[in-house]
Amino acid sequence: GLSAKLSESSRDENHVQLLYGHHAKEARRDIDNGTWQLVSQERGSDEQQTFDFDFLVLSDKLLIQDNQYGVLPTDYSGPLSLAHDVRSTCVALLMVAFPAGSMPYDFDSLLLRDHPAIRQIIRDNSKPGREMSEGLEVLVVHSTEEWAASRLEGDWFADEDAARADLLAELKGVLARVEFPSPPGGQKPTNKAARDIPEPAFAQAH
């Protein structure tokens, strides 16, 4: 992905410098020079720094919307101002780690239709550079908007422990019923059935 490309380029001091722990505070477009000025504040410091860039990549729509995380000036009227009309919604995430070989099939992602609690299940180990580590199989579960709305109070769970337990139970129910396709090349599933998946070694909701 982009992060891997940047990390590779950072080995050459003439190309990319990576700065960690910086909070982007404001981004300004210099029309005369055709560049961007980014104001950032390093974690643990009150001082702000200004950097000049030819291009600016913003990875989250919250950065260009009018909210506490926005970095664009309030009078900005360029192409990115279209995001002001974009509506944000909240979902809950559940990260679950199972022992290696727990999944009945090495899937990348499961997109559920009409499930009351779960919208998508992503197998994190299938992403580039995120192969099996420490003998764990990691799944990231995205809830539906409706399920999250019923358990959130503002940006936080009304009862985090209960929310985690509920979403984990829903995940187990999905994995016990899903019909995985036959693995390519005659490979055998890693488990007899999804119902044989053991208890997770780790589960965290947010």
Side-chain angles (χ1 to χ4, degrees):
L2 178 59
S3 297
K5 292 292 185 182
L6 291 175
S7 297
E8 182 179 349
S9 299
S10 67
R11 300 189 185 102
D12 186 342
E13 295 181 355
N14 295 322
H15 284 81
V16 175
Q17 179 185 9
L18 295 182
L19 299 175
Y20 296 98
H22 280 251
H23 179 200
K25 305 291 289 186
E26 184 181 0
R28 298 188 294 261
R29 178 70 169 166
D30 189 328
I31 302 299
D32 295 333
N33 295 327
T35 59
W36 285 91
Q37 290 185 328
L38 180 68
V39 179
S40 75
Q41 183 173 325
E42 190 172 3
R43 185 181 297 121
S45 173
D46 295 330
E47 297 183 5
Q48 294 186 347
Q49 298 174 269
T50 300
F51 301 92
D52 293 309
F53 297 102
D54 295 322
F55 301 96
L56 190 64
V57 179
L58 300 174
S59 61
D60 195 311
K61 65 179 180 293
L62 291 177
L63 294 172
I64 55 179
Q65 291 180 308
D66 186 14
N67 61 75
Q68 60 180 322
Y69 306 108
V71 298
L72 295 177
T74 55
D75 60 350
Y76 175 82
S77 59
L80 296 180
S81 61
L82 294 174
H84 292 167
D85 298 326
V86 176
R87 183 178 65 91
S88 294
T89 56
C90 289
V91 300
L93 297 180
L94 173 71
M95 177 175 283
V96 189
F98 294 97
S102 298
M103 296 298 103
Y105 179 60
D106 290 339
F107 63 92
D108 293 331
S109 175
L110 297 176
L111 189 62
L112 279 61
R113 297 179 180 178
D114 301 323
H115 193 279
I118 296 177
R119 175 60 177 167
Q120 189 174 18
I121 304 171
I122 299 171
R123 182 174 169 267
D124 198 65
N125 303 79
S126 67
K127 297 179 180 178
R130 298 188 184 182
E131 290 76 15
M132 199 82 64
S133 62
E134 301 180 1
L136 295 176
E137 183 91 42
V138 179
L139 302 182
V140 178
V141 181
H142 292 235
S143 79
T144 61
E145 296 175 19
E146 295 77 12
W147 189 92
S150 68
R151 286 161 175 80
L152 291 173
E153 291 183 354
D155 293 334
W156 308 98
F157 287 114
D159 187 331
E160 183 175 342
D161 291 338
R164 179 175 60 249
D166 289 349
L167 201 53
L168 182 58
E170 295 286 357
L171 171 64
K172 291 180 178 179
V174 169
L175 294 178
R177 296 192 305 271
V178 68
E179 294 183 5
F180 290 92
S182 299
Q187 300 177 25
K188 294 182 179 180
T190 56
N191 242 6
K192 294 180 181 179
R195 66 179 65 92
D196 298 326
I197 295 175
E199 288 297 309
F202 171 84
Q204 179 65 49
H206 66 90

